[in-house]
């Protein structure tokens, strides 16, 4: 099943070819699953093994993969030329990649490589360097496809909007379950179950859900507890459609909010407003972070905030739904219209044991960004 039109895929390929011509590349070796999906529709978790999508300057594409993904590629992508390397003791698929490239007359050519991806482990990367280092000139092209993916097409935006609908619906169905004695497992079930029941997908990373002291954590961990009469619950989740993500983040207070909860929430709302003002064409990802940091500093919260306040989102695979473009200090990546960006205000006061988070996904425009979530920004108290 292809999620996009032929015209959409052709446009993506032409944009890639234009960038390859600009860099004088004869071919690119795509190891990132996100890149293969974006370019061809190929949808799999088989990237945990060695596989490579070879794209030539003339637009020819060949996939090197394992037998387990042969039908996966045939059923989910536009690819017609699929080469299978055989699993066996001592197998070195980099040799078969070199032979494939040799058959394409790429000896001595300029070849871009996606090195910075979980789709190419350090061990496999060493095999590629060993077998191709003297075969061709290898150039780092890790930023090539991510740079093309960051601005979304109309077809992509439609999927992100649907993902955002699932984001809101999941939270709305979970929230009535939040009360004294509630099992965290039931809350996670409501979130993920809603996304799946409504036709969505699994997320690229697990939802974050922690209460009590664990509300100060920014990652999923195993283990469950039941909510106390006075508690705090931090949740980061995402609706997902056709692998496109629309994350959101909230901290819910159970019982009566502490004064510190209210202080942190007020700062988070103010910082998010400052971020929205900075999230416009003509500004940069670094400017967005700086807007957030100034508000936190004004509230004397610099040591309780994080060193990033969001990132680009789109079609992503495990282990993370985060795109490389992040809101961090000094990031010169420009804000452009039709980006889908997740901004999160995360305050973790370990001195008092108080957590507060607030985040949602935006679509950038020629002016002010559009929030794709309709959830209110009020402090949520149960």
């Amino acid at each position: 099943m292809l999620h996009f039109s032929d015209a959409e895929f052709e446009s993506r390929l032409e944009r890639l070819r234009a960038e390859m011509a600009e860099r004088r590349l004869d071919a690119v070796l795509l190891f990132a699953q996100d890149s293969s999906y974006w370019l061809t529709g190929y949808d799999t978790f088989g990237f945990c093994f060695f596989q490579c999508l070879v794209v030539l300057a003339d637009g020819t594409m060949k996939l090197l993969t394992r037998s387990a993904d042969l039908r996966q590629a045939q059923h989910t992508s536009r690819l017609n030329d699929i080469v299978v390397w055989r699993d066996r003791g001592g197998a070195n698929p980099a040799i078969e990649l070199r032979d494939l490239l040799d058959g394409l007359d790429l000896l001595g050519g300029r070849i871009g490589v996606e090195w910075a991806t979980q789709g190419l482990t350090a061990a496999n990367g060493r095999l590629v360097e060993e077998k191709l280092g003297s075969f061709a000139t290898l150039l780092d092209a890790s930023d090539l496809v991510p740079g093309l993916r960051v601005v979304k097409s109309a077809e992509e935006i439609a999927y992100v909007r649907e993902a955002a609908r699932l984001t809101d619906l999941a939270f709305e169905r979970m929230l009535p379950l939040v009360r004294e004695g509630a099992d965290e497992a039931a809350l996670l079930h409501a979130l993920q179950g809603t996304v799946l029941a409504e036709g969505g997908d699994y997320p690229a990373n697990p939802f974050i859900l922690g209460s009590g002291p664990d509300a100060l954590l920014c990652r999923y961990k195993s283990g469950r507890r039941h909510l106390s009469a006075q508690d705090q619950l931090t949740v980061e989740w995402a609706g997902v459609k056709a692998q496109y993500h629309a994350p959101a983040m909230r901290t819910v207070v159970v019982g009566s909010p502490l004064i510190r909860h209210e202080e942190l929430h007020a700062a988070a709302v103010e910082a998010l407003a400052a971020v929205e003002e900075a999230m416009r064409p003509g500004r940069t990802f670094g400017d967005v972070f700086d807007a957030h940091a100034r508000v936190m500093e004004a509230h004397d919260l610099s040591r309780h905030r994080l060193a990033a306040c969001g990132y680009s989102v789109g079609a992503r695979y495990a282990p993370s739904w985060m795109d490389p473009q992040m809101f961090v200090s000094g990031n010169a990546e420009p804000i452009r219209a039709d980006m889908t960006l997740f901004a999160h205000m995360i305050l973790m006061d370990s001195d008092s044991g108080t957590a507060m988070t607030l985040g949602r996904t935006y679509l950038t425009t020629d002016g002010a960004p559009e929030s794709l979530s309709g959830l209110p920004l009020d402090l949520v108290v149960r």
Side-chain angles (χ1 to χ4, degrees):
M1 175 183 178
L2 292 174
H3 297 291
F4 297 97
S5 67
D6 287 341
E8 173 83 3
F9 282 119
E10 288 300 326
S11 173
R12 295 175 185 181
L13 180 58
E14 287 308 306
R15 290 169 59 202
L16 175 60
R17 291 182 62 198
E19 185 64 25
M20 290 172 64
E22 182 72 20
R23 302 187 186 196
R24 296 184 295 113
L25 297 176
D26 299 304
V28 289
L29 308 182
L30 302 182
F31 291 96
Q33 179 57 37
D34 326 289
S35 298
S36 294
Y37 177 75
W38 179 81
L39 191 61
T40 73
Y42 179 40
D43 196 355
T44 182
F45 64 75
F47 63 91
C48 58
F49 297 98
F50 190 103
Q51 68 174 14
C52 179
L53 178 61
V54 180
V55 185
L56 303 189
D58 66 3
T60 299
M61 294 186 286
K62 288 180 178 285
L63 176 67
L64 177 68
T65 189
R66 298 168 65 244
S67 60
D69 277 299
L70 171 62
R71 292 166 187 82
Q72 194 84 9
Q74 291 171 334
H75 287 200
T76 67
S77 81
R78 303 174 78 228
L79 291 165
N80 297 311
D81 200 340
I82 304 166
V83 180
V84 173
W85 66 270
R86 188 165 61 86
D87 290 298
R88 60 192 183 279
N92 184 346
I95 295 175
E96 301 190 46
L97 177 59
R98 182 194 62 197
D99 292 344
L100 186 157
L101 298 176
D102 194 28
L104 294 170
D105 198 26
L106 287 169
L107 177 63
R110 289 171 54 85
I111 300 178
V113 184
E114 281 188 328
W115 297 111
T117 170
Q118 291 83 3
L120 184 65
T121 64
N124 283 337
R126 291 177 67 180
L127 294 179
V128 171
E129 285 189 305
E130 178 186 321
K131 298 305 176 185
L132 298 183
S134 60
F135 175 86
T137 300
L138 302 183
L139 303 159
D140 189 356
S142 301
D143 64 327
L144 201 166
V145 176
L148 297 174
R149 290 176 54 243
V150 70
V151 174
K152 305 301 189 292
S153 69
E155 291 187 29
E156 290 178 294
I157 291 169
Y159 282 123
V160 181
R161 288 190 183 279
E162 174 61 11
R165 184 187 74 84
L166 299 180
T167 301
D168 287 4
L169 185 59
F171 188 76
E172 289 166 352
R173 289 186 179 173
M174 180 209 72
L175 194 57
L177 306 179
V178 179
R179 61 173 71 91
E180 179 184 0
D183 188 338
E184 288 182 351
L187 306 182
L188 277 172
H189 179 268
L191 287 170
Q192 184 64 81
T194 296
V195 174
L196 294 176
E198 293 291 324
D201 298 319
Y202 290 113
N205 58 254
F207 294 166
I208 298 164
L209 189 147
S211 60
D214 290 344
L216 279 72
L217 301 183
C218 296
R219 297 287 183 262
Y220 172 84
K221 71 171 192 62
S222 61
R224 304 280 184 267
R225 68 182 290 270
H226 291 79
L227 301 185
S228 303
Q230 181 65 41
D231 217 326
Q232 55 185 353
L233 175 74
T234 292
V235 187
E236 185 181 44
W237 76 105
V240 189
K241 186 68 176 182
Q243 307 296 0
Y244 284 80
H245 293 68
M249 198 169 192
R250 292 290 189 279
T251 296
V252 179
V253 175
V254 180
S256 300
L258 305 176
I259 293 176
R260 191 56 167 165
H261 281 127
E262 294 174 338
E263 292 173 345
L264 297 182
H265 178 262
V269 171
E270 183 180 338
L272 192 62
V275 159
E276 291 175 2
E277 183 62 31
M279 198 185 292
R280 300 166 181 252
R283 311 293 291 277
T284 69
F285 275 58
D287 291 336
V288 172
F289 174 82
D290 291 343
H292 143 271
R294 282 193 295 270
V295 173
M296 296 309 181
E297 183 176 0
H299 287 269
D300 194 26
L301 294 172
S302 294
R303 67 192 184 93
H304 301 303
R305 66 162 173 82
L306 302 185
C309 70
Y311 40 82
S312 171
V313 289
R316 288 285 283 175
Y317 287 78
S320 172
W321 64 48
M322 296 185 288
D323 273 334
Q325 300 87 0
M326 300 191 72
F327 297 137
V328 294
S329 177
N331 187 355
E333 176 80 35
I335 300 291
R336 289 172 281 172
D338 295 331
M339 291 179 164
T340 49
L341 307 176
F342 174 50
H344 58 63
M345 307 298 104
I346 299 178
L347 292 165
M348 301 304 185
D349 183 353
S350 295
D351 297 338
S352 64
T354 311
M356 185 52 58
T357 65
L358 190 64
R360 57 187 181 181
T361 299
Y362 296 87
L363 173 67
T364 58
T365 71
D366 290 328
E370 174 193 351
S371 172
L372 296 180
S373 170
L375 296 176
L377 299 179
D378 300 336
L379 178 60
V380 185
V381 181
R382 297 289 296 168

